Amino acid sequence: ASKYPEFVKASPVTQRLGSSGQLFEQIFDIDSDRSKAQELLGAMSEIFSPLQEQMIKFFSEILEKRSLSCPGLLTAIDVLKKSVEASNQDYLNQLLNRLYDKIVAVWSQFVSKQLATIGSTMISIKKRNGPVFFVKVFPAFCKKIEQDIKNEVPAGIDARELGVRAIADKSYDQLGKTMLHILQRTAKETSSLVQQRQGARNSVIGQPGAPEGPANDYEDKELLNYHILMIENTTVMNEGLEPLESN
């Protein structure tokens, strides 16, 4: 410790910078002496214990307001973990894994909120209102995530091998199934409503004051509106997602 000031004077920071202007870094393989590695991990964890908690708190507060940034950040951590997971950087691995788990939890909570919002949507088939709002937004949502992932993946790394790929695909699957479920639920409700009306009308045919003539065109119009709704929404979704699938 007494020689540290002399070391700093003999090796100023400018001499320890690489050609890119960054501090020289050297990552070694996993330490074969695991007992010493555990001692070092314990010392690092004790020294930098406030750092972990502060970083986790910082990311939590930021990402709760900007949850769409989660996939891009997870990709960046995935890439960094690949370079240090088979190294002697046990503390860095531990820190990255804690951050990763926290970001995944924030993202899962965000997706759950979107699923709840979609699930509570009531679709009216009494008139044509164009594509449902979540169907119009979904392709742009997927495009944003895929672009963020692509931006964080350097050359030579296959994004399909990263953990974020499975997380993103699971989110797409959950949201897509929920949207289709809502549309299908509308079909069942519409069909059930029409059958009830037809049954009620048939029960009074022939009685005084009963309606005469063909079946109520209003019911046929509701069924037609539903079919148009399904075709319109699935077309918008397919056309929006097709460019992403081709890439």
Side-chain angles (χ1 to χ4, degrees):
S2 61
K3 294 183 180 180
Y4 183 72
E6 288 78 7
F7 168 78
V8 173
K9 292 180 181 179
S11 304
V13 175
T14 53
Q15 294 182 9
R16 285 177 271 152
L17 293 176
S19 57
S20 62
Q22 300 295 324
L23 285 173
F24 177 71
E25 297 178 359
Q26 186 173 0
I27 297 178
F28 297 94
D29 294 335
I30 296 177
D31 195 339
S32 58
D33 190 340
R34 297 311 300 163
S35 61
K36 288 186 177 180
Q38 288 299 319
E39 289 181 11
L40 178 59
L41 175 60
M44 294 285 290
S45 299
E46 184 175 353
I47 294 171
F48 294 103
S49 59
L51 174 66
Q52 287 200 30
E53 301 307 322
Q54 289 176 12
M55 289 189 68
I56 291 173
K57 181 180 179 181
F58 171 78
F59 279 107
S60 298
E61 292 177 353
I62 295 298
L63 293 176
E64 284 177 1
K65 299 177 182 178
R66 300 187 59 182
S67 299
L68 278 177
S69 299
C70 287
L73 190 54
L74 289 174
T75 307
I77 296 178
D78 268 333
V79 172
L80 182 56
K81 284 171 62 178
K82 287 180 70 69
S83 65
V84 300
E85 62 186 358
S87 71
N88 66 340
Q89 302 294 317
D90 293 333
Y91 177 76
L92 182 56
N93 269 314
Q94 183 187 77
L95 174 59
L96 291 175
N97 285 327
R98 287 197 64 187
L99 287 174
Y100 197 90
D101 291 342
K102 183 60 181 178
I103 297 170
V104 170
V106 173
W107 176 251
S108 298
Q109 185 178 13
F110 169 75
V111 173
S112 296
K113 289 181 180 178
Q114 305 311 306
L115 293 173
T117 300
I118 295 172
S120 62
T121 302
M122 301 301 295
I123 302 175
S124 174
I125 44 81
K126 293 182 179 180
K127 58 181 179 179
R128 303 174 195 172
N129 295 316
V132 185
F133 75 94
F134 52 71
V135 171
K136 293 187 288 186
V137 171
F138 186 61
F141 169 83
C142 296
K143 183 179 179 180
K144 171 71 167 63
I145 293 175
E146 292 302 313
Q147 189 62 48
D148 286 349
I149 293 175
K150 182 179 179 180
N151 291 341
E152 297 297 336
V153 178
I157 294 182
D158 189 349
R160 293 172 295 183
E161 298 177 356
L162 301 178
V164 70
R165 182 71 274 160
I167 294 172
D169 289 346
K170 180 181 177 181
S171 301
Y172 298 154
D173 184 63
Q174 290 177 316
L175 292 167
K177 286 181 177 179
T178 301
M179 289 187 289
L180 290 176
H181 171 72
I182 295 301
L183 295 175
Q184 291 170 351
R185 184 184 69 185
T186 304
K188 293 180 181 179
E189 292 175 351
T190 303
S191 177
S192 176
L193 181 61
V194 170
Q195 289 177 1
Q196 290 176 6
R197 289 174 178 171
Q198 288 177 342
R201 185 179 61 250
N202 292 337
S203 65
V204 298
I205 290 179
Q207 298 182 14
E212 299 179 358
N216 194 338
D217 291 338
Y218 180 75
E219 296 166 358
D220 293 336
K221 183 179 179 181
E222 285 190 342
L223 285 174
L224 176 63
N225 285 345
Y226 165 72
H227 289 298
I228 293 175
L229 177 88
M230 286 293 294
I231 295 172
E232 191 173 29
N233 281 278
T234 53
T235 300
V236 169
M237 188 180 298
N238 289 335
E239 290 179 350
L241 296 177
E242 188 174 0
L244 297 177
E245 293 176 354
S246 63
N247 291 331

Short mmCIF file of all heavy atoms in Angstrom, two decimals, residues 55 82 120 157 178 203 207 211 216 239 247:
data_model
loop_
_atom_site.label_atom_id
_atom_site.label_comp_id
_atom_site.label_asym_id
_atom_site.label_seq_id
_atom_site.Cartn_x
_atom_site.Cartn_y
_atom_site.Cartn_z
N MET A 55 -27.56 0.08 -8.35
CA MET A 55 -27.77 -0.16 -9.77
C MET A 55 -29.14 -0.80 -10.02
O MET A 55 -29.85 -0.43 -10.95
CB MET A 55 -26.66 -1.04 -10.34
CG MET A 55 -25.32 -0.34 -10.46
SD MET A 55 -24.08 -1.32 -11.36
CE MET A 55 -24.79 -1.30 -13.01
N LYS A 82 -21.73 -13.14 -22.45
CA LYS A 82 -21.04 -14.14 -23.26
C LYS A 82 -19.52 -13.95 -23.19
O LYS A 82 -18.76 -14.91 -23.33
CB LYS A 82 -21.50 -14.05 -24.72
CG LYS A 82 -22.90 -14.59 -24.96
CD LYS A 82 -23.30 -14.49 -26.41
CE LYS A 82 -22.51 -15.45 -27.28
NZ LYS A 82 -22.88 -16.85 -27.02
N SER A 120 -59.49 -6.80 -21.22
CA SER A 120 -60.66 -6.05 -20.75
C SER A 120 -61.32 -5.21 -21.85
O SER A 120 -62.28 -4.49 -21.58
CB SER A 120 -60.25 -5.12 -19.59
OG SER A 120 -59.29 -4.16 -20.03
N ILE A 157 -22.17 -12.52 -33.66
CA ILE A 157 -23.04 -13.12 -32.65
C ILE A 157 -24.43 -13.32 -33.23
O ILE A 157 -25.00 -12.41 -33.82
CB ILE A 157 -23.10 -12.24 -31.38
CG1 ILE A 157 -21.73 -12.19 -30.69
CG2 ILE A 157 -24.14 -12.77 -30.41
CD1 ILE A 157 -21.72 -11.39 -29.41
N THR A 178 -53.76 -13.59 -26.90
CA THR A 178 -54.78 -12.83 -26.18
C THR A 178 -55.62 -12.00 -27.15
O THR A 178 -56.86 -11.92 -27.00
CB THR A 178 -54.13 -11.91 -25.13
OG1 THR A 178 -53.38 -12.71 -24.21
CG2 THR A 178 -55.18 -11.12 -24.37
N SER A 203 -90.60 -17.83 -30.95
CA SER A 203 -91.59 -18.22 -29.92
C SER A 203 -92.86 -17.39 -29.99
O SER A 203 -93.88 -17.78 -29.42
CB SER A 203 -90.95 -18.08 -28.54
OG SER A 203 -90.65 -16.73 -28.26
N GLN A 207 -98.54 -15.33 -33.03
CA GLN A 207 -99.34 -14.71 -31.98
C GLN A 207 -99.73 -13.29 -32.41
O GLN A 207 -99.05 -12.67 -33.24
CB GLN A 207 -98.54 -14.64 -30.67
CG GLN A 207 -98.17 -16.02 -30.13
CD GLN A 207 -97.43 -15.92 -28.81
OE1 GLN A 207 -97.41 -14.86 -28.18
NE2 GLN A 207 -96.84 -17.03 -28.38
N PRO A 211 -94.10 -10.05 -35.21
CA PRO A 211 -93.54 -9.44 -36.43
C PRO A 211 -93.77 -10.33 -37.63
O PRO A 211 -93.77 -11.54 -37.52
CB PRO A 211 -92.05 -9.31 -36.09
CG PRO A 211 -91.80 -10.35 -35.04
CD PRO A 211 -93.05 -10.42 -34.23
N ASN A 216 -85.10 -10.62 -39.09
CA ASN A 216 -84.62 -9.26 -38.84
C ASN A 216 -83.26 -9.05 -39.50
O ASN A 216 -82.29 -9.77 -39.22
CB ASN A 216 -84.50 -9.04 -37.32
CG ASN A 216 -84.35 -7.58 -36.99
OD1 ASN A 216 -83.94 -6.78 -37.82
ND2 ASN A 216 -84.70 -7.24 -35.76
N GLU A 239 -50.21 -8.14 -42.40
CA GLU A 239 -49.45 -7.21 -43.23
C GLU A 239 -48.39 -6.46 -42.41
O GLU A 239 -47.30 -6.17 -42.91
CB GLU A 239 -50.40 -6.21 -43.89
CG GLU A 239 -51.27 -6.82 -44.97
CD GLU A 239 -52.21 -5.80 -45.60
OE1 GLU A 239 -52.30 -4.67 -45.06
OE2 GLU A 239 -52.84 -6.12 -46.63
N ASN A 247 -37.41 -10.67 -42.31
CA ASN A 247 -36.08 -10.27 -41.84
C ASN A 247 -35.52 -11.23 -40.80
O ASN A 247 -34.42 -11.05 -40.34
CB ASN A 247 -36.15 -8.87 -41.24
CG ASN A 247 -36.41 -7.81 -42.31
OD1 ASN A 247 -36.04 -7.99 -43.46
ND2 ASN A 247 -37.07 -6.72 -41.91
#
